[in-house]
Amino acid sequence: MGLTDLIYAGANAVAGLTEGAVNDAVAKYGAERKLAFPDTAYFFPAIYAATGVKVQKLGDLAPCVGVLKSLITNKEDLGDALNAGLATAVGAEILEGLKYAPGGNPYENEGGIGFVPDAVIRALGVPLVTGDIPGVAVVLGKADDPADVALVVKDYQNKGILTFLVGEVIDQAAAQGVKMGVDFRVVPLGHDVTAVIHVVTVAVRAALIFGAVQPGDLKGLLEYTKLRVPAFVNAFGALSEVVVAAGAGAIALGFPVVVDSDLGDLQVPGALVSVTDHKETVARSLELRNIKVKHKQMDICMGYASAFEGEIVRKKDVHAEFYSNVNPTCELVVTRGLDELEDHKITIDGPDIDGAAPVELPLATYVEVAGAKMQADFEPVIERKIHHWLNYVEGVMHTGQRNLFRIRVSKDAYAKGLRLKDLAEVIYHEVMQDFDSVVDKCQVTLVTDKAKVEKILEGEAMPRYKARDERLAAMTDESVDTFYTCTLCQSFAPSHCCVITPERLGLCGAVSWLDAKATRELTPTGPSQPIAKENCLDARTGSYEQVNQMVESATHGAVHTVTLYSLLEDPMTSCGCFECISGVMPEANGVVVVNREYGGMTPTGMTFGELASMTGGGVQTPGFMGHGRHFIASKKFISAEGGVQRIVWMPKELKDDIKEKLNKTAKILYNIDNFSDMICDESIASDSDGVMAFLQEKGHPALALSALM
Ligand code: SF4
Ligand code: NI
Ligand code: CU1
């Protein structure tokens, strides 16, 4: 059988299954039965993106089956056969969607997660653009030898590649001790081949969320996934016709497929490739998709990768702990003169973590750097990265920062030989790698002697933290003469540009003005370019001629004018990975602010995901704006519309998190006491009437402000 015959056989089989399943479901539940994947604003994403059709009830599926069948032409042409691959994807989406028809979570006891919610995709934005997640692997099938799966998946994990598992490989990887879950970047989807659609819809929704691809624009969709989603497929074991047809769908999306059987002349160069030696699988796959892995191997006994960042070391597994509630702790980066430092000097001052668990020790992580281009402003930028670097070590957990943190080293890591020297080496190597253009020399000292830690903490760390905080507080948009662009997200949101000011951080929450300044110094031609703060056109909205010019050129003409402080007049654009979104609630004459983690309904009648789908991909939508968590309490937060006193509703967790700063801002700007108490949340009401009653009862200031719209 030729390749096209195999594809058609698989596609026809899936089409038949799909048609039967749809008919059965309609007979059982009726055509009016509501149907949806959980936590998405994109309906059946593949169908929606490819055709514009919004599947919302069972009866909507019959026409989709018709479209699906029309895609399967049974012609010899490979292009036609790839369309049959897309039809297979549509069929898989319908079959998977039908699993959700009875209600509840069909994946509850499946050993996979099934559909991936929108919020997870948005959260992947930053690690994808920074290269912390250099690519996306789909590993499916059943390996002849489970050890081969473990070899390949662990290698991806160590490289930070986000890996989705489909089929028996899930159990095989689990049995081989692969650490799994979204936090470990190894995500089991489901056992049926059709579960592969759950990674396809991640790619498809990336196009809708970040790429501003319009639903129904199939050509635009395929172009986006091919150019901007760095995904590929590894199929293990014998290939069924359905797997081949699904593979054709992947190829149509631009994702190369690597199989471990010898396909001989059925191979398609660059698209369908046989790699029979599993030691070659990873390298060949990355090469096919042109994926470069950022992190060099760290020479320590444990794994070192961003994939371990979310790993939790539980109490029973702790060998050693450094915890500020128990012992004095601090981490500090200080600048020295070049002649004061000896490069790569590592010192452990005090006892190491040897001994019987649990070892509890004080710790001062003391990092000294020197460089001709080093500035004191970069110290906190480097210091904050210590959290990430230590977390990258398998078996090490780091939470908090400055003088308040907790580090745990697992028994496993200790048994394999991890000691304090290794942590110091990690910090040294990462400083020299990530900050190479400003740091020429670096010394790392880990102090565990209690008296010495106390001396550093009180005598040096606390005064320095305080001085920095004062400098940050005094740093306003008025006090600087330069803003910065950030275009990091253009790799998947090509017409988006953030404008970063001291009082407005990037919408992802990960880039402050100081970060942008440091980025500019580190990579002069990189994503952060300076904007001279000149020619103010309107101080109220924060409109500057230079900002407009820079944004226009950075977005290649897609966006002409943005304001810094307005939600309604030329608001700043969003890529899609924003931490929060603000949307107008007209009847309250105010705005609702929702964070990505909040899954419930908001008084606008939309969830976070639905609100989020109103903006993104570099498109301006007056009345909706993505932004960072820490922007909310800023004096510049939608100041053109009256500032923070417009906020009428927030999820409770978000409100509590920013309460202190928010109340301070409201007091200073509007002389309102305890403003956060006037803001409604879901524990009070989430429906319009309930919120309005609460606002009236509290005499919320927004009700008395000039009409918002
Ligand atoms: Fe992306 Fe903006 Fe964050 Fe830069 S600041 S990484 S462009 S969201
Ligand atoms: Ni790094
Ligand atoms: Cu982004």
Side-chain angles (χ1 to χ4, degrees):
M1 253 215 289
L3 182 62
T4 51
D5 301 320
L6 278 169
I7 294 171
Y8 284 121
N12 281 314
V14 171
L17 274 177
T18 308
E19 189 167 30
V22 169
N23 291 340
D24 289 351
V26 172
K28 188 165 172 192
Y29 300 110
E32 289 309 307
R33 173 83 164 213
K34 283 206 175 353
L35 190 62
F37 285 110
D39 305 314
T40 181
Y42 301 97
F43 313 97
F44 277 41
I47 292 174
Y48 181 53
T51 67
V53 172
K54 299 174 178 176
V55 173
Q56 286 165 293
K57 53 184 187 347
L58 273 177
D60 296 334
L61 289 177
C64 299
V65 175
V67 173
L68 180 170
K69 282 164 59 180
S70 74
L71 279 169
I72 309 174
T73 58
N74 294 314
K75 287 197 200 129
E76 258 304 312
D77 181 74
L78 187 63
D80 277 28
L82 292 186
N83 278 338
L86 292 176
T88 308
V90 169
E93 180 163 64
I94 294 173
L95 288 169
E96 286 290 313
L98 288 172
K99 291 184 181 173
Y100 290 86
N105 177 9
Y107 275 92
E108 185 135 31
N109 299 310
E110 224 278 351
I113 66 161
F115 190 80
V116 180
D118 290 355
V120 173
I121 300 173
R122 291 180 185 278
L124 290 174
V126 171
L128 277 166
V129 293
T130 56
D132 273 337
I133 298 180
V136 178
V138 183
V139 174
L140 59 82
K142 180 183 181 182
D144 295 339
D145 179 356
D148 293 333
V149 173
L151 178 81
V152 168
V153 174
K154 280 185 181 166
D155 198 358
Y156 286 140
Q157 193 170 45
N158 277 322
K159 292 181 160 60
I161 303 267
L162 177 64
T163 307
F164 291 96
L165 305 179
V166 177
E168 291 296 309
V169 288
I170 293 176
D171 313 285
Q172 294 186 314
Q176 295 279 317
V178 174
K179 295 179 182 169
M180 271 189 240
V182 176
D183 284 345
F184 283 109
R185 306 234 173 109
V186 177
V187 186
L189 288 176
H191 284 84
D192 294 340
V193 183
T194 48
V196 75
I197 194 65
H198 299 309
V199 52
V200 171
T201 77
V202 169
V204 163
R205 278 177 287 162
L208 298 172
I209 290 173
F210 303 116
V213 169
Q214 291 307 302
D217 176 9
L218 179 60
K219 193 166 158 276
L221 173 71
L222 297 181
E223 214 170 79
Y224 184 93
T225 53
K226 186 182 168 75
L227 286 178
R228 306 197 180 271
V229 182
F232 57 88
V233 180
N234 288 168
F236 280 88
L239 299 173
S240 68
E241 292 157 355
V242 173
V243 169
V244 174
I251 292 168
L253 290 161
F255 308 153
V257 177
V258 172
V259 302
D260 66 351
S261 48
D262 188 358
L263 289 184
D265 56 11
L266 285 186
Q267 295 184 70
V268 182
L272 178 62
V273 176
S274 289
V275 178
T276 49
D277 179 355
H278 293 101
K279 287 193 221 53
E280 295 289 314
T281 307
V282 171
R284 288 281 283 132
S285 299
L286 297 183
E287 195 183 293
L288 273 169
R289 202 70 179 102
N290 197 18
I291 294 170
K292 306 253 181 307
V293 175
K294 187 177 102 177
H295 276 281
K296 63 167 183 253
Q297 286 327 98
M298 195 63 71
D299 188 20
I300 52 174
C301 52
M302 298 302 285
Y304 186 81
S306 53
F308 296 112
E309 184 163 5
E311 179 190 22
I312 291 168
V313 178
R314 300 196 189 282
K315 199 169 169 79
K316 64 174 174 45
D317 302 320
V318 173
H319 171 77
E321 186 173 67
F322 310 89
Y323 184 26
S324 43
N325 279 12
V326 180
N327 280 302
T329 59
C330 64
E331 43 198 30
L332 189 66
V333 173
V334 291
T335 312
R336 300 273 184 245
L338 270 167
D339 49 3
E340 291 174 75
L341 296 189
E342 178 190 327
D343 187 39
H344 206 166
K345 184 173 169 195
I346 306 278
T347 314
I348 309 299
D349 190 352
D352 207 328
I353 58 175
D354 297 293
V359 176
E360 288 276 1
L361 285 172
L363 178 67
T365 304
Y366 195 75
V367 182
E368 294 161 286
V369 295
K373 286 163 98 187
M374 181 63 198
Q375 299 178 23
D377 270 353
F378 302 154
E379 290 170 0
V381 175
I382 301 176
E383 198 177 285
R384 226 185 40 211
K385 302 244 4 183
I386 294 174
H387 162 75
H388 298 281
W389 297 333
L390 294 186
N391 261 331
Y392 289 177
V393 182
E394 188 182 7
V396 174
M397 182 179 88
H398 182 293
T399 57
Q401 56 170 334
R402 288 188 167 184
N403 58 318
L404 299 173
F405 63 73
R406 166 184 269 177
I407 301 175
R408 283 177 163 179
V409 177
S410 75
K411 286 177 179 160
D412 179 44
Y414 176 74
K416 288 191 175 131
L418 192 89
R419 296 296 181 268
L420 285 177
K421 186 178 130 299
D422 300 302
L423 300 186
E425 285 286 352
V426 162
I427 294 171
Y428 170 79
H429 282 285
E430 284 285 20
V431 167
M432 296 311 281
Q433 182 181 313
D434 280 15
F435 295 93
D436 57 340
S437 41
V438 291
V439 176
D440 301 322
K441 285 182 180 177
C442 173
Q443 279 182 197
V444 180
T445 309
L446 298 184
V447 185
T448 57
D449 177 282
K450 192 166 183 179
K452 285 182 184 165
V453 173
E454 262 160 3
K455 192 165 161 243
I456 294 171
L457 176 65
E458 297 306 328
E460 205 169 351
M462 295 312 280
R464 277 177 180 267
Y465 299 150
K466 189 159 168 277
R468 273 186 210 158
D469 284 346
E470 279 161 7
R471 161 144 171 78
L472 272 179
M475 222 164 55
T476 61
D477 291 3
E478 288 75 27
S479 73
V480 300
D481 54 15
T482 309
F483 297 152
Y484 292 92
T485 61
C486 182
T487 52
L488 205 52
C489 283
Q490 287 197 350
S491 60
F492 57 68
S495 43
H496 170 71
C497 169
C498 277
V499 179
I500 318 271
T501 76
E503 291 177 85
R504 181 169 190 168
L505 79 173
L507 55 85
C508 57
V511 181
S512 70
W513 186 80
L514 280 182
D515 294 318
K517 188 177 173 214
T519 301
R520 157 73 182 172
E521 205 62 49
L522 291 164
T523 34
T525 58
S528 284
Q529 294 300 317
I531 307 174
K533 204 186 80 182
E534 284 163 5
N535 304 341
C536 180
L537 302 173
D538 184 351
R540 184 184 61 90
T541 56
S543 171
Y544 291 86
E545 201 180 311
Q546 296 295 329
V547 169
N548 290 339
Q549 276 176 16
M550 280 298 283
V551 168
E552 172 147 17
S553 85
T555 63
H556 314 286
V559 184
H560 308 288
T561 44
V562 291
T563 60
L564 303 177
Y565 314 131
S566 176
L567 173 67
L568 297 175
E569 300 165 51
D570 302 325
M572 212 180 283
T573 62
S574 298
C575 41
C577 64
F578 38 85
E579 289 186 298
C580 300
I581 185 162
S582 286
V584 171
M585 180 175 171
E587 66 271 39
N589 203 29
V591 301
V592 161
V593 186
V594 202
N595 53 310
R596 198 164 57 202
E597 296 78 11
Y598 179 74
M601 188 45 76
T602 78
T604 59
M606 290 185 265
T607 60
F608 170 86
E610 287 161 342
L611 279 166
S613 71
M614 306 293 292
T615 179
V619 179
Q620 282 173 315
T621 320
F624 298 92
M625 186 174 71
H627 53 79
R629 234 175 214 256
H630 291 296
F631 182 50
I632 306 170
S634 164
K635 289 184 186 132
K636 296 297 194 293
F637 178 75
I638 61 170
S639 57
E641 282 81 31
V644 294
Q645 54 179 338
R646 286 283 183 187
I647 304 174
V648 295
W649 190 94
M650 272 196 266
K652 191 164 187 318
E653 182 270 322
L654 178 64
K655 188 166 77 176
D656 289 344
D657 183 40
I658 62 163
K659 192 169 165 173
E660 206 179 310
K661 280 194 183 142
L662 184 63
N663 285 344
K664 212 168 138 191
T665 302
K667 178 71 185 170
I668 294 170
L669 292 183
Y670 314 111
N671 198 25
I672 303 172
D673 287 303
N674 298 320
F675 175 56
S676 61
D677 293 345
M678 297 174 163
I679 301 174
C680 196
D681 64 49
E682 79 281 11
S683 72
I684 304 160
S686 301
D687 63 299
S688 179
D689 290 348
V691 174
M692 290 308 292
F694 176 82
L695 299 177
Q696 259 135 21
E697 182 200 315
K698 292 285 174 187
H700 191 289
L703 301 174
L705 291 176
S706 61
L708 192 51
M709 307 188 78

